[in-house]
């Protein structure tokens, strides 16, 4: 065995320990949202973006800021408003004049998208042309501006928030942009005990800052480790079967899909299921991916990739009902998964 091979387990253990420290650091400030925190961390480990949907006052912005604070990465916040234009995100050219020579030249000033962790706060409050300015950045990690294609710093995450109850003056995200998000994370109200803990923690002395526990190199290492995690052929077929079962034109899909689904998830949904499952296995401390990992991420992966029809709205059928039916109809691999 080579020295590099002997060092690999130690490096892997060190990265996993860093991920656990990151989770513990953020959990010390955010109370009662363990499921949401895990989904955000899974998105980061998988190298994807996350959309956080919840009513005001559920600490969506604080959660994202706390994650950024616990990482030695450049954090940028973009507050989306109706008057925001694409240049406010990507950057703009300024005409500068040298006071000594009088020579004039254009200089490109980078916008707030040139960061590692981007908080897109209330992303549905800005017009589509500005929302679309994030598309290339989210997919390609690049920005085309001033006639040049500029690479964004790595790692790069977009964590966006959205208010689901106040729709006046908002612009719903198009399906093409929704599909760029690895997870659609839903934040609910805390339990009674957690709410009391929140009141106790937030109405006393000022909170102490979170000490950074993870840097950019470690974040990239965790992303590589996530992708390197094995996923056996039966698990890949299981993920593909789940995605295909959301399409109403496919044979043998559940009746609820045929009756209430207009469009099902595309191939990117299957990719997200596998990557999300690998990330869940990693934060669970397991070296292999299991069908339970796929089930765990099915809701955040599929809920923004399945489009219901009008009949579903009139009959009170939700996306959660459809995904639960798909999970019940598609049987996971049995007898263990060979590697």
């Amino acid at each position: 065995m080579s020295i590099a091979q002997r060092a690999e387990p130690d490096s892997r253990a060190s990265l996993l320990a860093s991920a656990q420290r990151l989770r513990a650091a953020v959990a010390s400030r955010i109370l009662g949202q363990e499921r949401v925190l895990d989904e955000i961390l899974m998105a980061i480990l998988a190298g994807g973006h996350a959309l956080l949907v919840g009513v005001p006052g559920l600490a969506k912005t604080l959660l994202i800021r706390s994650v950024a604070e616990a990482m030695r990465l450049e954090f940028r916040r973009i507050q989306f408003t109706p008057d925001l234009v694409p240049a406010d995100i990507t950057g703009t050219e300024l005409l500068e004049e040298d006071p000594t020579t009088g020579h004039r030249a254009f200089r490109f000033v980078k916008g707030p998208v040139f960061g590692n962790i981007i908080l897109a706060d209330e992303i549905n409050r800005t017009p589509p042309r500005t929302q679309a300015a994030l598309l290339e950045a989210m997919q390609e990690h690049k920005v085309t501006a001033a006639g040049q294609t500029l690479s964004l710093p790595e790692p790069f995450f977009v964590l966006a928030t959205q208010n689901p109850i106040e729709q006046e003056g908002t612009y719903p995200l198009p399906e093409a942009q929704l599909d760029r998000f690895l997870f659609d994370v839903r934040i609910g109200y805390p339990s009674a005990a957690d709410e009391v803990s929140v009141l106790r923690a937030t109405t006393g002395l000022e909170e102490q800052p979170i000490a950074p526990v993870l840097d950019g190199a470690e974040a990239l290492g965790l992303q590589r480790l996530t992708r390197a995690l094995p996923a056996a052929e039966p698990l890949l077929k299981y993920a593909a079967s789940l995605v295909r079962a959301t399409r109403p034109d496919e044979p043998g899909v559940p009746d609820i899909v045929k009756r209430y689904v207009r469009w099902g998830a595309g191939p990117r949904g299957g990719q997200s299921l596998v990557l999300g499952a690998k990330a869940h296995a990693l934060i669970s401390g397991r070296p292999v991916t299991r069908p339970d990992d796929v089930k765990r991420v099915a809701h955040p992966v599929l809920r923004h990739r399945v489009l219901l029809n009008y009949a579903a709205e009139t009959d009170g059928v939700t996306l959660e009902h459809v995904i639960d039916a798909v999970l019940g109809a598609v049987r996971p691999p049995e007898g263990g998964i060979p590697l």
Side-chain angles (χ1 to χ4, degrees), residues 161-238:
T161 68
Q162 185 170 293
N163 178 2
I165 60 174
E166 188 179 353
Q167 299 301 324
E168 183 177 354
T170 63
Y171 304 85
L173 291 174
E175 282 71 20
Q177 186 163 349
L178 283 174
D179 200 34
R180 268 30 179 220
F181 289 99
L182 181 77
F183 287 163
D184 180 339
V185 181
R186 300 299 169 98
I187 305 181
Y189 292 109
S191 66
D194 287 334
E195 194 153 0
V196 172
S197 298
V198 169
L199 296 177
R200 183 184 304 112
T202 57
T203 57
L205 296 175
E206 186 175 351
E207 292 181 341
Q208 296 298 317
I210 298 177
V213 298
L214 195 73
D215 60 22
E218 290 173 314
L220 291 172
L222 281 168
Q223 289 181 7
R224 289 191 292 269
L225 186 59
T226 299
R227 286 185 169 268
L229 217 62
E233 191 71 14
L235 187 136
L236 298 178
K237 291 181 178 179
Y238 177 54

Side-chain angles (χ1 to χ4, degrees), residues 312-324:
E313 183 177 353
T314 58
D315 291 349
V317 175
T318 67
L319 287 167
E320 310 302 320
H321 295 148
V322 172
I323 298 172
D324 285 337

Side-chain angles (χ1 to χ4, degrees), residues 42-56:
M42 282 189 280
I44 291 176
L45 293 183
H49 314 289
L51 176 66
L52 280 70
V53 181
V55 299

Side-chain angles (χ1 to χ4, degrees), residues 68 74 79 91 127 141 197 199 201 284 310:
E74 188 172 3
Q79 183 64 51
H141 292 201
S197 298
L199 296 177
S284 300
Y310 179 74

Side-chain angles (χ1 to χ4, degrees), residues 15-32:
L15 288 172
L16 287 175
S18 297
Q20 295 301 324
R21 289 197 301 271
L22 174 63
R23 188 189 186 283
V26 181
S28 66
R29 176 179 291 178
I30 305 298
L31 304 174

Side-chain angles (χ1 to χ4, degrees), residues 227-288:
R227 286 185 169 268
L229 217 62
E233 191 71 14
L235 187 136
L236 298 178
K237 291 181 178 179
Y238 177 54
S241 297
L242 287 175
V243 171
R244 298 182 70 85
T246 66
R247 303 168 188 168
D249 294 334
E250 286 289 323
V253 301
D255 289 338
I256 192 173
V257 173
K258 292 181 179 180
R259 292 183 59 188
Y260 298 115
V261 173
R262 183 160 41 140
W263 295 103
R268 191 179 280 124
Q271 295 170 345
S272 299
L273 278 177
V274 174
L275 283 175
K278 288 185 175 185
H280 183 256
L282 194 66
I283 66 172
S284 300
R286 283 184 279 103
V288 295

